[in-house]
């Protein structure tokens, strides 16, 4: 689902929230399917550690995330007053 305060959060197949620490802040886990080891479980969420990445994010999602972070400039041309 996303990253916050040095941790990634996601959901299980049963829609339960799982939180696990970032192994490297530069790695974007958005859209990836991962295997986790559940370390602790509470009433609202589970704490886990990353075991491995099963499937990378779809290319279309990576492209969308990359485009979202780009800045675009629009050249302005002077308008002649009549």
């Amino acid at each position: 689902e996303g990253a916050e305060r040095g941790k990634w959060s996601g959901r299980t197949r049963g829609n339960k929230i799982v939180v696990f620490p970032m192994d490297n802040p530069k790695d974007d886990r958005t859209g990836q399917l991962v295997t986790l080891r559940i370390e602790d479980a509470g009433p609202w969420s589970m704490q886990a550690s990353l075991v491995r990445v099963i499937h990378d994010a779809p290319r279309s999602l990576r492209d969308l995330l990359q485009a979202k972070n780009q800045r675009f400039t629009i050249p302005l041309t002077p308008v002649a007053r009549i």
Side-chain angles (χ1 to χ4, degrees):
E1 289 193 0
E4 188 176 320
R5 289 181 264 171
K7 294 185 178 187
W8 284 101
S9 65
R11 293 189 180 257
T12 66
R13 289 184 181 124
N15 205 28
K16 304 296 181 192
I17 297 172
V18 182
V19 179
F20 62 100
M22 290 182 183
D23 48 349
N24 183 353
K26 293 183 180 181
D27 289 341
D28 190 355
R29 299 269 178 240
T30 305
Q32 291 182 341
L33 182 61
V34 297
T35 299
L36 300 172
R37 176 175 288 117
I38 303 299
E39 307 286 342
D40 189 27
W44 307 110
S45 65
M46 295 179 275
Q47 304 296 316
S49 59
L50 180 67
V51 175
R52 70 184 177 108
V53 176
I54 296 173
H55 194 272
D56 202 11
R59 175 104 179 138
S60 57
L61 178 61
R62 288 188 309 223
D63 291 345
L64 180 66
L65 291 172
Q66 185 178 16
K68 186 177 171 183
N69 294 328
Q70 289 180 353
R71 291 184 177 214
F72 295 96
T73 57
I74 302 172
L76 299 176
T77 55
V79 177
R81 292 189 173 204
I82 301 175

